[in-house]
């Protein structure tokens, strides 16, 4: 532990870690303080799909920067990055219309995408059902990471090669400005000093600054996920996003047919009630991760989302997945939920407590995609201010 750091990050999830990464590249001394013995937040509970194609224009640009950053790190150190592309599979004429429009938008954005015929999709994705798929839109530059391991590997690289000090089991209970320095005090009374502190606390709103969160428009989303047993003799490359995703992801809102197609949807349907869309990603052990659903509560009512899993949601997701993909097995090996925070009215939550203490959270469902690129921009902003 140094006497004083240039920067302390509170929270070792993907958003905090990439803030640390960009500060280290600028030659700063950086410490991350994490309350758990290893990252257990949203960063290890997600799909690991790095999909700028699904974001609005601003976040697509951060996502594109993230792709470059991830690929650069992978070229120096193995973080299990796989460049195997993202596909959006349409299931009817309306969704075909939307992927064709998104393809045109991406041509004008100079972002590579390829329209696939039904036959091309069926030959590229084993098990894809001919009675589901009408065509696809493929983004070859996009990548996947393994959420359970990527952040550990990245921490290892940053401590071994970039000089990061990483303190686990270190719950920060107070941050304060003492004029010449800022102090992070832990639950054991230990003080860490720095020139600046950035708090990337994910959806932990109870310890630091609860009033700020309780009076904000931050909400929390609870997402249910499933993972099959390893699939025998089966390979599924990349991120597989399907019809309900086409109807949900922000990038499609720019399509000219989007509003009229959305207006025809049944607002009372089960998938609408629980914000369900079906995505697939094969993990390194051969299992397939399936999801997801969305239930919402305000930051101050986070506990109302409960600790349990709703089996009706799980069963619905499995039945919908079976209509899309004939996997060798749908036997489930694990189930979990993750929670992310997001703002109702902004794309991210940024609050300056005082000149040298910043809170950055609420990156929503785009953290694995956008954090690396956004953090680069944000470190520049905070340190050049
Ligand atoms: C099911 C699911 C699937 C998803 N899939 C994708 C996907 O495929 N692609 C994508 O781009 N995004 C995806 N996301 C979103 C993405 O996972 C999140 O945006 C991202 O992980 C948020 O990272 P974070 O660092 O803000 O939060 P977290 O990962 O929650 O990290 C916050 C950290 O801060 C620590 N902390 C909090 N308070 C303190 C304190 N006082 N002292 C010390 N430590 C503290 C916590 O312990 C935690 O480790 C998904 C999310 C979910 C839930």
């Amino acid at each position: 532990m140094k006497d004083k750091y240039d920067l302390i990050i509170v929270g070792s999830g993907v958003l905090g870690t990439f803030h640390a990464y960009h500060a280290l590249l600028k030659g700063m001394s950086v410490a991350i303080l994490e309350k758990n013995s290893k990252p257990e937040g949203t960063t290890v509970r997600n799909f690991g799909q790095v999909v700028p194609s699904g974001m609005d224009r601003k976040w697509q640009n951060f996502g594109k920067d993230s792709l470059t950053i991830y690929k650069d790190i992978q070229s120096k150190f193995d973080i299990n990055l796989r460049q195997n592309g993202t596909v959006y599979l349409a299931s009817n004429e309306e969704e075909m219309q939307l992927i064709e429009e998104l393809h045109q938008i991406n041509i004008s954005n100079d972002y590579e995408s390829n329209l696939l015929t039904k036959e091309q999709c069926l030959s590229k994705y084993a098990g894809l059902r001919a009675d589901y798929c009408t065509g696809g839109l493929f983004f070859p530059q996009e990548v996947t990471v393994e959420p359970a391991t990527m952040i550990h590997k990245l921490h290892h690289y940053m401590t071994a090669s970039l000089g990061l000090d990483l303190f686990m089991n270190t719950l920060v209970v107070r941050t304060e400005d003492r004029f010449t320095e800022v102090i992070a005090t832990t639950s054991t009374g230990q003080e860490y000093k720095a020139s600046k502190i950035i708090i990337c606390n994910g959806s932990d709103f109870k310890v630091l600054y609860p009033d700020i969160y309780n009076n904000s428009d931050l909400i929390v989303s609870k997402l249910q996920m499933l993972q099959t047993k390893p699939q025998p003799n089966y390979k599924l490359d990349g991120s597989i996003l399907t019809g309900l995703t086409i109807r949900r992801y922000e990038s499609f809102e720019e399509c000219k047919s989007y509003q009229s197609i959305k207006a025809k949807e049944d607002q009372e349907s089960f998938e609408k009630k629980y914000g369900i869309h079906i995505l697939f990603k094969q993990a390194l052990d051969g299992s397939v991760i399936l999801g997801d659903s969305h239930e919402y509560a305000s930051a101050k009512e986070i506990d109302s989302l409960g600790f349990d899993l709703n089996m009706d949601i799980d069963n619905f997701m499995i039945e919908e997945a079976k209509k899309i993909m004939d996997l060798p097995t749908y036997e489930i090996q694990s189930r979990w939920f993750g929670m992310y925070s997001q703002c109702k009215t902004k794309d991210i939550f940024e609050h300056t407590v005082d000149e040298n203490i910043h809170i950055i959270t609420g990156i929503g469902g785009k953290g694995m995609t956008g954090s690396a690129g956004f953090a680069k921009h944000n470190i520049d902003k905070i340190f050049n201010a």
Side-chain angles (χ1 to χ4, degrees), residues 10-16 33-36 39-43 45-51 55 170-172 200-204 207-208 223 225 292 336 338-340 361 363-370:
V10 179
S12 72
V14 67
L15 189 56
L33 312 183
E34 164 59 48
K35 67 178 180 174
N36 291 318
E40 289 175 4
T42 317
T43 296
R45 295 169 183 234
N46 61 71
F47 274 105
Q49 298 179 334
V50 183
V51 287
M55 317 274 134
T170 304
L171 171 66
V172 177
C200 298
N201 50 314
S203 47
D204 191 318
V207 182
L208 294 171
L223 289 76
M225 301 279 275
D292 52 24
W336 69 92
M339 284 195 192
Y340 62 64
T361 190
I363 194 167
K366 51 194 184 300
M368 302 306 284
T369 304

Side-chain angles (χ1 to χ4, degrees), residues 160-352:
S161 302
L162 303 181
L164 171 70
D165 281 352
L166 179 61
F167 299 96
M168 308 308 280
N169 293 309
T170 304
L171 171 66
V172 177
V173 293
R174 192 169 62 248
T175 61
E176 64 195 291
D177 197 333
R178 288 194 197 147
F179 305 109
T180 56
E181 56 201 11
V182 281
I183 312 284
T185 307
T186 73
S187 54
T188 58
Q190 177 87 50
E191 291 190 347
Y192 291 79
K193 296 175 189 159
S195 300
K196 284 190 191 289
I197 295 176
I198 300 179
I199 301 168
C200 298
N201 50 314
S203 47
D204 191 318
F205 301 130
K206 291 187 176 167
V207 182
L208 294 171
Y209 305 108
D211 290 346
I212 290 178
Y213 304 121
N214 289 344
N215 294 317
S216 74
D217 71 345
L218 270 166
I219 55 170
V220 185
S221 183
K222 175 182 177 185
L223 289 76
Q224 285 187 203
M225 301 279 275
L226 302 152
Q227 186 164 9
T228 69
K229 294 210 160 154
Q231 303 284 338
N233 304 317
Y234 179 76
K235 196 159 178 297
L236 187 64
D237 274 342
S239 298
I240 318 295
L241 289 71
T242 64
L244 292 175
T245 309
I246 293 171
R247 294 165 177 277
R248 183 177 173 91
Y249 269 13
E250 286 177 357
S251 54
F252 290 94
E253 291 177 20
E254 244 190 88
C255 297
K256 62 180 186 322
S257 308
Y258 182 79
Q259 293 303 341
S260 59
I261 289 173
K262 290 295 283 179
K264 289 188 227 158
E265 290 178 353
D266 174 8
Q267 300 306 317
E268 305 302 316
S269 67
F270 191 82
E271 64 263 27
K272 268 272 190 301
K273 180 172 177 198
Y274 291 107
I276 294 170
H277 61 145
I278 306 297
L279 308 93
F280 301 80
K281 194 196 112 183
Q282 190 166 36
L284 287 178
D285 68 354
S287 63
V288 170
I289 304 176
L290 291 177
D292 52 24
S293 57
H294 296 78
E295 294 172 272
Y296 298 94
S298 67
K300 85 176 137 195
E301 283 159 355
I302 184 168
D303 292 344
S304 70
L305 290 170
F307 61 85
D308 53 348
L309 295 169
N310 178 334
M311 284 303 113
D312 289 344
I313 292 179
D314 273 15
N315 293 337
F316 181 86
M317 292 198 293
I318 293 169
E319 289 313 309
E320 288 303 302
K322 285 181 178 169
K323 291 179 197 162
I324 302 170
M325 204 68 85
D326 283 329
L327 296 178
T329 177
Y330 268 96
E331 211 180 328
I332 300 301
Q333 76 173 4
S334 59
R335 302 164 191 265
W336 69 92
F337 69 83
M339 284 195 192
Y340 62 64
S341 58
Q342 66 183 39
C343 291
K344 275 190 192 157
T345 55
K346 294 182 288 295
D347 52 344
I348 194 157
F349 183 85
E350 298 178 271
H351 186 97
T352 301

Side-chain angles (χ1 to χ4, degrees), residues 49-193:
Q49 298 179 334
V50 183
V51 287
S53 55
M55 317 274 134
D56 67 17
R57 230 169 245 237
K58 174 179 172 187
W59 283 87
Q60 186 176 94
N61 286 332
F62 287 138
K64 286 195 229 171
D65 290 347
S66 295
L67 289 176
T68 308
I69 294 162
Y70 275 123
K71 288 175 190 177
D72 180 55
I73 295 170
Q74 178 66 28
S75 72
K76 297 176 177 137
F77 188 87
D78 183 13
I79 52 166
N80 288 143
L81 189 86
R82 287 180 285 167
Q83 183 177 332
N84 36 27
T86 301
V87 72
Y88 294 82
L89 297 171
S91 69
N92 57 35
E93 283 313 308
E94 289 180 340
E95 292 158 9
M96 279 306 289
Q97 177 74 28
L98 290 174
I99 61 173
E100 279 163 17
E101 290 175 15
L102 192 70
H103 177 55
Q104 290 305 323
I105 290 170
N106 280 291
I107 289 173
S108 55
N109 283 354
D110 204 19
Y111 190 49
E112 186 181 358
S113 66
N114 308 310
L115 281 168
L116 303 180
T117 62
K118 172 178 179 144
E119 290 66 34
Q120 286 171 319
C121 293
L122 293 175
S123 79
K124 189 167 166 54
Y125 298 104
L128 178 60
R129 292 183 60 114
D131 59 356
Y132 177 81
C133 178
T134 53
L137 181 62
F138 183 63
F139 290 85
Q141 299 304 328
E142 301 194 344
V143 302
T144 57
V145 293
E146 301 312 295
T149 53
M150 186 280 283
I151 200 74
H152 303 281
K153 288 173 179 263
L154 188 54
H155 287 160
H156 184 76
Y157 170 62
M158 288 165 63
T159 49
S161 302
L162 303 181
L164 171 70
D165 281 352
L166 179 61
F167 299 96
M168 308 308 280
N169 293 309
T170 304
L171 171 66
V172 177
V173 293
R174 192 169 62 248
T175 61
E176 64 195 291
D177 197 333
R178 288 194 197 147
F179 305 109
T180 56
E181 56 201 11
V182 281
I183 312 284
T185 307
T186 73
S187 54
T188 58
Q190 177 87 50
E191 291 190 347
Y192 291 79
K193 296 175 189 159

